[in-house]
Amino acid sequence: MAVVGLLMFIIGLAIFVDDLHDFVPGTEWLHWLPEFQPIIILGFHLEHLYIGAGILLIGLIAMARS
């Protein structure tokens, strides 16, 4: 379970870091994933920054539980 948690953490971190260019000036060089339209849920724009943070958090929990 720890290996799965570590892989999820790394994938989540990569997605999270990729989307920083939308929120932090000067980090455009970190952008490597293609652009996509954010998912809109009840008026909330679900950017892949939040998706990456969620995967990262789930990976941390999986590693902590094993």
Side-chain angles (χ1 to χ4, degrees), residues 17-31 49:
V17 167
D18 173 70
D19 202 37
L20 281 178
H21 74 278
D22 288 338
F23 302 97
V24 180
T27 59
E28 290 81 18
W29 59 276
L30 293 172
H31 179 62
L49 177 83

Side-chain angles (χ1 to χ4, degrees), residues 38-46:
I39 302 166
I40 300 174
I41 301 173
L42 299 173
F44 178 73
H45 288 226
L46 185 62

Side-chain angles (χ1 to χ4, degrees), residues 2-64:
V3 173
V4 173
L6 180 62
L7 288 174
M8 288 181 71
F9 177 81
I10 291 169
I11 291 168
L13 184 63
I15 294 171
F16 180 82
V17 167
D18 173 70
D19 202 37
L20 281 178
H21 74 278
D22 288 338
F23 302 97
V24 180
T27 59
E28 290 81 18
W29 59 276
L30 293 172
H31 179 62
W32 56 276
L33 288 174
E35 290 291 328
F36 75 94
Q37 295 289 37
I39 302 166
I40 300 174
I41 301 173
L42 299 173
F44 178 73
H45 288 226
L46 185 62
E47 302 282 345
H48 60 281
L49 177 83
Y50 306 121
I51 295 169
I55 294 171
L56 190 141
L57 183 61
I58 291 169
L60 281 176
I61 291 169
M63 285 191 303

